[in-house]
Amino acid sequence: MSVQAGVVFLLTFSGFSVLADSSLTFPENARNGARIVSGWEAEEGQFPFQLSLRMVSPVGAVTACGGSIVHPEWAITAAHCTATRISVVIRIGAVNLTRPYSIFETTEYYNHPLYNEAMQGVVQPNDIGVVKFNRKLVFNDRVQPIRIHRSADMNRNYAGIRLTASGWGLTWTQGSSPENLNWVYLSGTSNFECLSAFGGSSIIQSSTICARGYNETTQSICQGDSGGPLTVVEEDGQLSLVGVSSFVSGTGCHTDFPAGFIRPGYYHDWYLEVTGINFDWDFEEPEPEPVPESESDSESESESETEESLESNESDSDSSESDSDSENSESSESNEAESLKILKPVIAY
């Protein structure tokens, strides 16, 4: 694949600078708008943590994004989705958007302090935010939280690992938005490979995770998928949220370039500061299964019988050894006497 590095220029704000790279764009703005590209339709309950967000701007414009439930009162999404918006309409438990489990509105969200909302139209690092529901969700088979990637693995290299992305992006080039949730497998790429693909863009940082087509080059995220989840099945067999959809190549969604996600495991201290909740975690060691009391008694009796048997065998063995020693002693003395008779000296004449 040839690298098509775009023009970059320096922007400075809030005391630090980033490179705005025209080879990168938000999924909403990518040329040849497409969907969760080359994926499949989700089934009811397949992604119970997935949210559909509709953000309303001060002038009434509406944009669409995704998000993930991480707590009965909190969700995670991309900062560029909620920045400068006055309200967020949330659909939960939805696969088909016309049949959500619940729909409500909130006005409370918090974007990471290193994300500059005044430059919302520019791809930035730290593109992550949390949304607070104006209620406490009741979980069921259609509405469930997903755990945030743990901080201990925040720098883990997922190159070649199968990941999953989901969302309600457009179905194909210049197509219409689907009512049904779509999902796709992606293959994780190293940050080095992602940097190479985007000409060394400073947007690709340690807090970035990239992924490209799993078994087809067109597989990717796209329009309407920003803020949505990138997940992996961990060693304990459970899902973790390892990425928040952030950007794609400016050449289009279904071109052979990686898509970019923000690693949520980088921000546990900030979540705690904003929400008062510690979302970090660690693998639990499996506890040994308790032995039923009846089996324990049986094992104790068996051990006692075994010990008695061993003691009996040892006693018989000692008795046998004693008799054998006595016989051996008598035999030895007899042989010794015979030897003396044979060896008795005689006078030679």
Side-chain angles (χ1 to χ4, degrees):
M1 180 189 74
S2 61
V3 176
Q4 303 178 25
V7 177
V8 295
F9 54 94
L10 186 66
L11 294 168
T12 305
F13 54 90
S14 297
F16 70 97
S17 62
V18 300
L19 289 176
D21 191 341
S22 61
S23 68
L24 303 174
T25 189
F26 300 122
E28 298 86 278
N29 303 328
R31 293 202 302 263
N32 301 323
R35 58 174 169 165
I36 280 280
V37 186
S38 300
W40 304 273
E41 288 192 347
E43 298 178 357
E44 292 287 345
Q46 187 175 357
F47 298 94
F49 48 86
Q50 175 85 49
L51 294 176
S52 167
L53 308 181
R54 294 290 187 273
M55 284 67 58
V56 182
S57 74
V59 296
V62 178
T63 53
C65 277
S68 300
I69 301 171
V70 295
H71 182 269
E73 297 179 85
W74 294 92
I76 282 184
T77 188
H80 79 261
C81 291
T82 53
T84 73
R85 307 305 178 183
I86 59 172
S87 69
V88 183
V89 177
I90 303 172
R91 286 176 171 84
I92 66 170
V95 170
N96 187 298
L97 287 175
T98 64
R99 299 192 299 273
Y101 179 79
S102 179
I103 181 171
F104 56 90
E105 185 176 14
T106 184
T107 58
E108 189 172 356
Y109 66 83
Y110 302 89
N111 289 333
H112 194 272
L114 294 181
Y115 180 86
N116 191 319
E117 293 196 15
M119 305 194 67
Q120 183 184 14
V122 176
V123 176
Q124 303 176 41
N126 307 301
D127 184 14
I128 193 166
V130 292
V131 178
K132 187 173 185 182
F133 308 138
N134 58 5
R135 63 195 63 196
K136 192 170 184 178
L137 302 184
V138 176
F139 295 142
N140 53 47
D141 59 347
R142 293 178 59 185
V143 181
Q144 289 287 329
I146 186 171
R147 66 186 181 187
I148 302 171
H149 200 215
R150 64 184 189 141
S151 60
D153 283 338
M154 64 182 180
N155 288 313
R156 186 170 178 179
N157 182 6
Y158 283 96
I161 302 297
R162 190 177 74 179
L163 311 172
T164 303
S166 51
W168 283 275
L170 297 183
T171 55
W172 197 243
T173 302
Q174 305 302 323
S176 58
S177 297
E179 290 183 353
N180 206 86
L181 180 66
N182 281 260
W183 65 278
V184 69
Y185 286 135
L186 298 176
S187 180
T189 67
S190 68
N191 276 27
F192 178 79
E193 182 183 352
C194 199
L195 275 168
S196 298
F198 290 111
S201 172
S202 64
I203 300 301
I204 315 301
Q205 300 191 357
S206 57
S207 56
T208 306
I209 180 172
C210 296
R212 65 192 333 150
Y214 177 69
N215 55 10
E216 186 178 330
T217 58
T218 60
Q219 292 168 328
S220 186
I221 58 170
C222 205
Q223 186 173 359
D225 295 324
S226 284
L230 181 73
T231 66
V232 71
V233 178
E234 299 276 15
E235 287 88 342
D236 61 355
Q238 302 299 313
L239 280 177
S240 288
L241 181 70
V242 295
V244 175
S245 299
S246 180
F247 62 85
V248 293
S249 167
T251 62
C253 293
H254 52 269
T255 56
D256 188 19
F257 280 82
F261 305 78
I262 304 302
R263 292 179 182 258
Y266 255 78
Y267 302 97
H268 282 284
D269 289 343
W270 177 65
Y271 305 143
L272 181 59
E273 179 184 342
V274 172
T275 70
I277 301 166
N278 181 11
F279 288 100
D280 212 354
W281 56 277
D282 204 348
F283 290 113
E284 294 183 4
E285 293 293 333
E287 295 182 2
E289 295 185 4
V291 179
E293 189 173 345
S294 58
E295 290 185 15
S296 178
D297 294 342
S298 176
E299 287 178 4
S300 178
E301 291 175 4
S302 176
E303 289 175 0
S304 177
E305 291 174 359
T306 302
E307 288 176 2
E308 290 177 1
S309 176
L310 287 173
E311 289 175 0
S312 176
N313 290 339
E314 287 177 2
S315 176
D316 293 343
S317 176
D318 291 343
S319 176
S320 175
E321 287 177 3
S322 176
D323 293 342
S324 176
D325 290 344
S326 177
E327 291 174 1
N328 290 338
S329 177
E330 290 175 1
S331 175
S332 176
E333 290 175 358
S334 176
N335 291 337
E336 186 177 354
E338 291 296 326
S339 297
L340 289 173
K341 289 178 182 177
I342 296 171
L343 299 175
K344 185 176 179 181
V346 295
I347 299 172
Y349 290 100

